[in-house]
Amino acid sequence: MPYREALAVQTSLFEHGTGQHLLLLEHPHVFTYGRTTDLTTNLKCEPAAVGAELIAAKRGGDITYHGPGQLVGYPILNVDNSLGATGHVCGVEGLIIDVLVELGVPNASRLDGYAGVWLDAGTARERKICAIGVRLKKGRTMHGFALNVTTDLTYMRDHIVPCGISDKPVTSLAEEGVDVSLADVVDVVARLAADRWAADADAESGAEGRGVVERQDVAWKHAADGRDLAAFSRGEGPGDQVKLVSARATGRLEAAGVDVAAGLSIETRKPDWLRPKVNLGPEVLELKKTIRSLDLITVCEDAGCPNLSDCWSDGTATFMVLGERCTRACGFCLVDTRKPMLPADDEPARVAEAIDRMALDHAVLTMVARDDLADGGMAHVAACVEAIRLRRPSANIETLISDAKGDEASLELLFASRPDVMNHNVETVARLQRAVRPSASYARSLSVLARAKKAGLITKTGFMAGLGETDDEIVGLLADIANLGVDIVTIGQYLRPTSNHLPIARYADPAEFDRWKQIGESFGIGHVQASPLTRSSYHAKQASDAVAVPVAVPVSISL
């Protein structure tokens, strides 16, 4: 996960959440530096020349490096403020020392006067294996540790003065002769951190023993040649329409632990609660006429939404801008994936005219993913927002956007247009992300929502049930969303568009959706719209109206 995206997520958890979290990540090459860093002395290279970013961080400590083969951990915790940052640093050091001892490194300890974890401290061979830098504010922490596992130490030895310490070397587990994978190290860190911090959190209520722990992992391995990505995500440009091959789609699900054979066939009869009542009354026909006359696209039609007649008869429609061809190939989506056309310059005006003619009070704009455009299409969506504001100032505007490949500048183009609701869907739980939408990621989606929250926007997300997730994973996803400060969540049943799309694992009962709604709102999410037929913009106006006042987020513990 790129450092900037991780920073957005942990900052949102730090500022909006009250739960205990530990993010365990691996970053692309990046140098980060604290407030007191002397870059003229301690940065010895041009970062771009060695394939690295240079980013300022609001933390203690000097310049440090993160990169492949290094496990970076961000504990976002509630601690006793009377201990101060020093006490928290000691706690993090203690965790890493315990981890190293279990991994067969008995000579790990602290070094007086220096943060971090050292080997053979106090001897002529002392060397640093783990850097630590934290921030503590009002009893809440962020930032954390960087443990060198199989790290390329050239970046620390030749390109920076790590942590501003010029006379003491750095090392890694691999250099110390410890043959261990990053996944193995994560397992040890996760278990010992849970023993330490979940128990501490539980102790506040007087309970004994280990507290409640919830862990979710994303995909550990990606195909080296990128064959599990869409062509645009591989950098190959446009191609023929993607036909999802069942073996490829189901293979990703099986790799994520889903028993595909136990799922439902496409011929399985839907239960009554998944049979929408279609009523093509005069209001629906009039909307169709307006949309056709302006040559516009609605996701209601292109994505086969089951609520089309329900929403359209209520005078609501979701417009899909930037064309009808998507540059990605998500395993659940019916949208066309052939080579996209250039964005139409007059589309913002046509969308605004339609919304004005339909007299909409709450307009929803969604988009296809446009990885072929430098900004992911964000400037075009922003232009649509501005055109609607000029044509119908009284309308609330909701935007349902792609992730713009996580590019902060692109997202800011949209945020600057100040949509009334900023929607970006996580779609499924962490474990199934690579199988369900291989060109996106759970972490990136969380970062988009976190950045929108930081921009002061009402945030919204949605996901599907029935892809092979567990109930615990859905509850954990709701906890993550709540602690980011997300205001609105939609939950619906996945319905398989064709036999070339991902199979349905099961149909969730309506009572389960009622329960997830109760859980999500008890976590502090302002409004949860949950039912088998719920889709992203279903009852969008009611959801927006329901979150006029922000809701506090309660404590949850996740790992």
Side-chain angles (χ1 to χ4, degrees):
M1 185 180 186
Y3 181 84
R4 291 183 190 276
E5 296 178 29
L7 182 61
V9 172
Q10 64 161 320
T11 300
S12 199
L13 292 172
F14 173 74
E15 293 179 348
H16 299 289
T18 57
Q20 307 278 102
H21 300 266
L22 175 59
L23 310 181
L24 296 174
L25 308 169
E26 189 177 17
H27 293 313
H29 301 296
V30 61
F31 300 117
T32 73
Y33 60 96
R35 293 181 295 269
T36 60
T37 301
D38 180 1
L39 289 178
T40 59
T41 301
N42 296 336
L43 177 62
K44 300 190 292 183
C45 69
E46 173 55 47
V50 296
E53 286 191 280
L54 177 66
I55 301 175
K58 294 181 180 179
R59 58 161 172 79
D62 208 289
I63 192 167
T64 192
Y65 161 80
H66 302 310
Q70 183 188 74
L71 179 62
V72 183
Y74 299 117
I76 299 98
L77 306 173
N78 301 312
V79 301
D80 184 349
N81 216 40
S82 65
L83 297 176
T86 300
H88 174 54
V89 168
C90 287
V92 176
E93 289 171 341
L95 167 67
I96 300 303
I97 290 169
D98 291 345
V99 167
L100 292 173
V101 168
E102 184 164 325
L103 292 173
V105 186
N107 55 334
S109 65
R110 299 178 178 87
L111 178 62
D112 288 345
Y114 296 91
V117 176
W118 300 75
L119 304 184
D120 294 324
T123 74
R125 296 187 63 248
E126 62 189 11
R127 55 215 181 274
K128 192 174 191 177
I129 195 169
C130 180
I132 294 175
V134 303
R135 181 185 179 195
L136 174 64
K137 182 180 179 182
K138 296 181 179 178
R140 194 138 172 90
T141 71
M142 64 180 290
H143 299 296
F145 63 85
L147 176 61
N148 298 325
V149 181
T150 59
T151 316
D152 180 355
L153 298 177
T154 300
Y155 280 83
M156 286 183 270
R157 289 171 174 167
D158 297 347
H159 301 323
I160 63 170
V161 178
C163 301
I165 305 171
S166 59
D167 59 340
K168 300 183 186 302
V170 293
T171 188
S172 68
L173 285 168
E175 190 161 278
E176 296 297 318
V178 180
D179 184 13
V180 62
S181 70
L182 202 69
D184 291 335
V185 178
V186 164
D187 285 339
V188 177
V189 171
R191 174 169 44 80
L192 295 183
D195 288 342
R196 177 181 294 261
W197 287 320
D200 288 347
D202 215 37
E204 295 177 7
S205 63
E208 295 182 359
R210 182 175 178 176
V212 177
V213 176
E214 184 265 334
R215 171 176 170 174
Q216 294 198 36
D217 287 19
V218 298
W220 276 93
K221 293 182 179 179
H222 299 170
D225 60 2
R227 65 181 180 276
D228 54 349
L229 300 179
F232 269 94
S233 300
R234 292 196 301 267
E236 296 177 3
D240 296 330
Q241 182 173 7
V242 175
K243 299 289 187 182
L244 290 175
V245 180
S246 294
R248 185 180 105 185
T250 57
R252 290 198 300 255
L253 277 178
E254 289 169 344
V258 176
D259 184 357
V260 173
L264 305 177
S265 74
I266 197 166
E267 293 83 13
T268 301
R269 181 180 172 83
K270 294 184 180 69
D272 289 341
W273 64 77
L274 280 171
R275 296 179 175 276
K277 296 179 175 63
V278 178
N279 178 22
L280 299 179
E283 302 93 339
V284 173
L285 296 177
E286 185 61 29
L287 283 183
K288 279 182 175 286
K289 182 179 178 181
T290 298
I291 290 163
R292 296 294 174 271
S293 69
L294 293 169
D295 193 25
L296 295 173
I297 305 164
T298 69
V299 74
C300 319
E301 296 171 294
D302 272 42
C305 180
N307 301 313
L308 184 149
S309 63
D310 184 13
C311 293
W312 283 25
S313 63
D314 192 37
T316 301
T318 299
F319 296 91
M320 187 161 69
V321 301
L322 286 160
E324 57 186 336
R325 298 178 180 180
C326 185
T327 56
R328 300 187 184 181
C330 297
F332 61 88
C333 186
L334 189 59
V335 174
D336 194 344
T337 54
R338 288 175 296 169
K339 178 181 178 179
M341 309 296 286
L342 290 174
D345 292 339
D346 66 340
E347 186 174 55
R350 286 186 285 114
V351 170
E353 182 179 348
I355 289 168
D356 188 36
R357 283 166 56 176
M358 294 161 63
L360 295 182
D361 294 322
H362 189 95
V364 182
L365 302 176
T366 188
M367 62 176 291
V368 289
R370 292 298 301 261
D371 295 334
D372 58 317
L373 302 177
D375 67 353
M378 293 301 137
H380 186 87
V381 180
C384 291
V385 173
E386 291 161 2
I388 296 167
R389 289 249 165 80
L390 288 172
R391 186 69 181 257
R392 187 171 176 80
S394 63
N396 283 346
I397 304 170
E398 177 174 327
T399 56
L400 172 55
I401 65 168
S402 179
D403 60 26
K405 294 191 285 190
D407 183 68
E408 190 168 19
S410 298
L411 292 169
E412 288 295 337
L413 292 173
L414 175 65
F415 297 165
S417 71
R418 311 304 297 170
D420 296 281
V421 178
M422 209 301 298
N423 188 352
H424 172 73
N425 286 337
V426 295
E427 304 294 5
T428 187
V429 299
R431 175 173 57 90
L432 301 182
Q433 292 283 320
R434 193 71 173 178
V436 173
R437 48 177 201 155
S439 297
S441 78
Y442 184 70
R444 174 159 291 165
S445 287
L446 294 186
S447 78
V448 171
L449 294 166
R451 286 164 167 170
K453 191 69 181 178
K454 183 179 180 181
L457 301 173
I458 291 177
T459 51
K460 179 178 178 179
T461 192
F463 61 91
M464 299 169 285
L467 283 160
E469 71 289 330
T470 68
D471 182 75
D472 283 346
E473 286 176 321
I474 287 180
V475 175
L477 171 53
L478 288 168
D480 285 350
I481 292 169
N483 277 274
L484 281 178
V486 173
D487 303 288
I488 304 168
V489 174
T490 57
I491 313 172
Q493 170 70 49
Y494 167 58
L495 297 176
R496 190 180 192 181
T498 74
S499 59
N500 283 328
H501 288 77
L502 296 173
I504 300 171
R506 71 184 187 98
Y507 292 131
D509 189 274
E512 294 181 79
F513 289 93
D514 292 341
R515 175 174 168 271
W516 293 327
K517 173 180 173 65
Q518 293 171 359
I519 291 172
E521 292 180 353
S522 74
F523 284 168
I525 299 169
H527 182 81
V528 178
Q529 184 74 42
S531 72
L533 292 177
T534 289
R535 296 298 181 264
S536 295
S537 55
Y538 188 54
H539 291 171
K541 183 180 186 302
Q542 295 91 320
S544 177
D545 291 344
V547 296
V549 179
V551 180
V553 181
V555 172
S556 64
I557 300 168
S558 67
L559 177 65

